[in-house]
Amino acid sequence: MDKMVMAGNGEVTVTNDGATILSKLEVAHPAARMFVDLSRSQDVEAGDGTTSVVVVAGALLGAARTLLDKGLHPATISEAFLLAEREAQRVLRSVSVPLDLGD
């Protein structure tokens, strides 16, 4: 579904691309800036999936907030996220299939 984004100068952009929408935002908050940068990095590396990566990052921040509210120390949450990342990489490597890009 297309979205219409209007800049402060009146310039209008119509797009359904998450990266384009996020690139048009003028953000000052550090967390919001992180989402814009994350989207840009995803677009550069993969050319797609910008909305998905922002949704996943938002879910992770929401989970972190819930854990903080329960009294967990930020370092404990960070260590757990790093452990989960390592386990996710291990699982992905175990199910991956080698691919020859020269074919």
Side-chain angles (χ1 to χ4, degrees), residues 37-60:
D37 292 343
L38 181 64
S39 172
R40 184 176 297 117
S41 294
Q42 177 68 17
D43 192 42
V44 167
E45 290 297 320
D48 196 16
T50 55
T51 302
S52 298
V53 78
V54 169
V55 169
V56 169
L60 289 171

Side-chain angles (χ1 to χ4, degrees), residues 58-100:
L60 289 171
L61 281 179
R65 181 80 224 168
T66 299
L67 295 171
L68 287 169
D69 291 344
K70 290 182 178 185
L72 271 74
H73 192 277
T76 303
I77 297 168
S78 178
E79 289 169 10
F81 279 5
L82 289 171
L83 181 64
E85 182 256 340
R86 285 192 295 271
E87 178 63 11
Q89 284 193 30
R90 186 192 67 74
V91 169
L92 288 172
R93 283 190 189 99
S94 74
V95 299
S96 67
V97 177
L99 178 63
D100 181 5

Side-chain angles (χ1 to χ4, degrees), residues 11-62:
E11 176 188 342
V12 175
T13 303
V14 178
T15 184
N16 66 356
D17 178 47
T20 301
I21 293 168
L22 286 174
S23 72
K24 298 290 182 184
L25 295 178
E26 296 175 13
V27 294
H29 193 279
R33 179 87 254 150
M34 180 186 69
F35 281 100
V36 172
D37 292 343
L38 181 64
S39 172
R40 184 176 297 117
S41 294
Q42 177 68 17
D43 192 42
V44 167
E45 290 297 320
D48 196 16
T50 55
T51 302
S52 298
V53 78
V54 169
V55 169
V56 169
L60 289 171
L61 281 179

